[in-house]
Amino acid sequence: MTGSLKKRALRAGTALAFICILGGVPIVAAGAAPSLQTGLKVFVIPKNLGNSYFTTSDSAKSGGAIAALNELKETGTETSGTAATPASQIPAIQAAITKGANALIVSATDASALCPTLSSAMKKGITVVTYDSDAPTCRSMFINQADSAAIGKSEVDLLAKQIGSSGQIAILSAAASATNQNTWIAYMKQELKKYPKMSLASIVYGNDDPTTSTQVAQGLLQQFPNLKGIISPTTVGIAAAAAVLDTPKYRGKVMLTGLGTPNSLRKYVKDGTIKAFELWNPADLGYLAGYAAVNLASGTITGAPGQSFTAGKLGRYKVAAKKTVLLGPPFVFTKANIDKFNF
């Protein structure tokens, strides 16, 4: 070995001496920037499988969470129960923990019910990132699809514009325990105070199940024959309500808005059943959650406010208060622009 090579080897050996391995995770000496790990086991656990919204947010094909994990050379797996309930979701979380998960990306069906399991995962050193629906006291970070106040208020404003700011309205939500739904509804109630001629007749819950959502939508029309509009801040609920309203009796007479996907609502927008609705790109939401989970699990960020990280094609994001990251503002879909989108 030449003198030059010996010096290089000595420098390399000295550098390696400053690195220790703790639980399989490289801990780099102060002053050295940690890099993203590869080969992490990351489980994406939506509220339920078979839900088109979560299929879009999670799958590699759509550019969702699994696509992000593939880009980062991690092992990404989508798993959950078939019903949007804690009883269906918790076994999937527990199984992921047993399989050696390094990180969990979870849309919480019920924050209180999930917390014992998620807290147990965190005690084992597993990174827990929530997306779509939060579990504030038992996660490492929340990827928020849009500002909660902006969603709740804009839904009411959209409907008010369509019904002349007057008349009975109703809300068709997902599960009564869903934290995101309840937060949005609280802001809807607050915004309704701006419209004294509008009144909230009822809040019903379809549990993100098409059959149940259809039944409760039909029930609203029977119970409130003078109903002027429905807000459904759930992709399953708004699609079910649109199918119920898509008749000469109700089309254009009972207005509908909420949160939905362009592909599931395109028909109803074009035939006038829906004038306008909102959403974000669920694939971007899942993609951002994937990058956040890997950065946290790798130690490049801790979730402290003000820290930032790069999320691939989406660019750079900053961590806000309470360890949250905001995807961006909601987008309004109408007949004029809906054909520009495919998800």
Side-chain angles (χ1 to χ4, degrees):
M1 181 180 290
T2 67
S4 176
L5 288 175
K6 285 181 180 179
K7 289 178 181 179
R8 292 179 189 176
L10 181 60
R11 285 196 296 267
T14 303
L16 287 171
F18 284 90
I19 300 176
C20 64
I21 303 297
L22 179 60
V25 178
I27 307 299
V28 184
S35 58
L36 295 180
Q37 295 184 64
T38 59
L40 295 172
K41 292 183 179 179
V42 184
F43 289 82
V44 184
I45 309 174
K47 288 179 182 176
N48 61 315
L49 298 176
N51 182 325
S52 61
Y53 171 85
F54 287 114
T55 299
T56 301
S57 69
D58 298 348
S59 76
K61 185 177 180 180
S62 65
I66 302 298
L69 297 172
N70 289 345
E71 288 177 7
L72 295 171
K73 297 181 173 58
E74 320 297 353
T75 301
T77 305
E78 185 194 37
T79 182
S80 193
T82 55
T85 63
S88 184
Q89 190 179 35
I90 288 173
I93 299 172
Q94 293 171 331
I97 295 170
T98 301
K99 291 176 182 176
N102 299 109
L104 305 175
I105 300 174
V106 182
S107 180
T109 50
D110 184 315
S112 298
L114 264 59
C115 265
T117 304
L118 295 180
S119 296
S120 175
M122 293 178 71
K123 288 177 182 178
K124 297 177 188 294
I126 299 171
T127 295
V128 176
V129 170
T130 52
Y131 73 125
D132 177 71
S133 183
D134 196 13
T137 62
C138 51
R139 46 75 170 165
S140 311
M141 182 177 286
F142 173 48
I143 308 303
N144 192 357
Q145 53 269 52
D147 178 73
S148 295
I151 292 174
K153 293 178 179 180
S154 61
E155 297 286 272
V156 172
D157 293 340
L158 270 178
L159 188 60
K161 185 176 180 180
Q162 296 172 40
I163 65 173
S165 304
S166 178
Q168 284 186 324
I169 70 166
I171 297 172
L172 195 169
S173 183
S177 59
T179 53
N180 57 347
Q181 301 280 315
N182 291 335
T183 301
W184 298 334
I185 290 170
Y187 282 111
M188 289 179 198
K189 291 178 178 178
Q190 182 178 319
E191 188 70 359
L192 274 170
K193 295 176 183 178
K194 289 173 51 177
Y195 302 99
K197 294 182 180 180
M198 287 173 62
S199 61
L200 179 59
S202 182
I203 302 173
V204 294
Y205 301 93
N207 297 322
D208 267 347
D209 175 77
T211 301
T212 305
S213 298
T214 298
Q215 291 171 345
V216 296
Q218 292 169 334
L220 285 173
L221 297 174
Q222 293 170 1
Q223 187 176 358
F224 304 101
N226 296 318
L227 197 68
K228 295 297 183 183
I230 298 172
I231 299 173
S232 186
T234 158
T235 58
V236 176
I238 192 173
V244 171
L245 295 175
D246 191 22
T247 67
K249 181 178 180 180
Y250 297 115
R251 190 186 304 118
K253 300 178 180 68
V254 179
M255 307 309 297
L256 173 65
T257 193
L259 302 178
T261 60
N263 288 356
S264 67
L265 300 180
R266 196 180 316 277
K267 169 184 182 296
Y268 305 112
V269 170
K270 291 192 171 185
D271 72 11
T273 301
I274 297 175
K275 298 295 184 185
F277 69 96
E278 294 182 326
L279 198 64
W280 45 91
N281 188 334
D284 287 348
L285 180 67
Y287 184 91
L288 178 57
Y291 267 85
V294 173
N295 274 272
L296 283 165
S298 300
T300 60
I301 57 173
T302 63
Q307 290 183 330
S308 62
F309 63 98
T310 300
K313 64 185 180 184
L314 298 180
R316 200 151 189 86
Y317 281 82
K318 183 175 287 189
V319 182
K322 299 180 181 179
K323 297 186 175 182
T324 63
V325 175
L326 179 64
L327 176 63
F331 182 85
V332 178
F333 298 89
T334 65
K335 185 183 291 188
N337 63 27
I338 196 166
D339 281 339
K340 297 178 182 178
F341 300 90
N342 182 31
F343 65 87

